[in-house]
């Protein structure tokens, strides 16, 4: 999609430190990491947010498989996934992405 930061990263038009790729997803380090591991996993195809992605169960399944693939490759058994859906809860890039965080302790409930 034109003017989408994460579509541009998927296409290689904007640089990012990619740490995992498969047929469904691209994963890259967050520019402003909040944990020792802070990776953004994005579907190759453009969806605005989790609610939009959920309209396409096949794409949603591939996306979840991609999150699993990254975690397995990274050797992560314990990790937190965060989806911000909507500007009101902090979504700032409107191409759905899982924040995958690991390597420190995490509070519950989240802030
Ligand atoms: P959101 O706020 O939408 O849930 O998450 C967007 C994330 O994208 C933020 O954690 C932010 O640090 C990250 N981010 C914003 N711009 C860039 C960029 O150009 N490159 C990378 N690698 N991450 C970015
Ligand atoms: Zn996009």
């Amino acid at each position: 999609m034109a003017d989408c930061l994460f579509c541009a990263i998927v296409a290689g038009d904007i640089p990012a430190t990619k740490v995992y790729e498969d047929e469904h997803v691209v994963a890259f380090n967050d520019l402003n990491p909040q944990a020792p591991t802070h990776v953004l996993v994005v579907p190759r195809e453009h969806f605005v947010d989790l609610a939009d992605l959920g309209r396409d169960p096949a794409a949603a399944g591939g996306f979840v498989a991609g999150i699993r693939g990254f975690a397995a490759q990274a050797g992560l058994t314990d990790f937190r996934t965060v989806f911000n859906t909507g500007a009101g809860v902090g979504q700032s890039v409107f191409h759905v992405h899982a924040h995958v965080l690991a390597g420190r302790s995490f509070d519950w409930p989240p802030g």
Side-chain angles (χ1 to χ4, degrees), residues 35-37 76 78-79 101-106:
T37 296
L76 298 178
D78 298 66
F79 55 92
L101 301 138
R104 63 168 171 83
S105 60
F106 293 90

Side-chain angles (χ1 to χ4, degrees), residues 5-6 9 16 28-32 38 40 84 90-93 97 99:
L5 175 62
F6 289 172
I9 287 176
F28 49 91
N29 288 333
D30 196 291
L31 204 56
N32 183 23
H38 186 173
L40 302 175
N84 292 320
Q91 186 175 4
S92 60
V93 179
H97 48 282
H99 295 259

Side-chain angles (χ1 to χ4, degrees), residues 46-87:
H46 183 90
F47 296 90
V48 173
D49 58 22
L50 195 66
D52 187 30
L53 177 64
R55 293 191 187 97
D56 185 335
F63 179 59
V64 174
I67 295 171
R68 180 207 170 274
F70 160 68
Q73 177 191 269
L76 298 178
T77 55
D78 298 66
F79 55 92
R80 179 161 291 181
T81 43
V82 175
F83 293 88
N84 292 320
T85 303

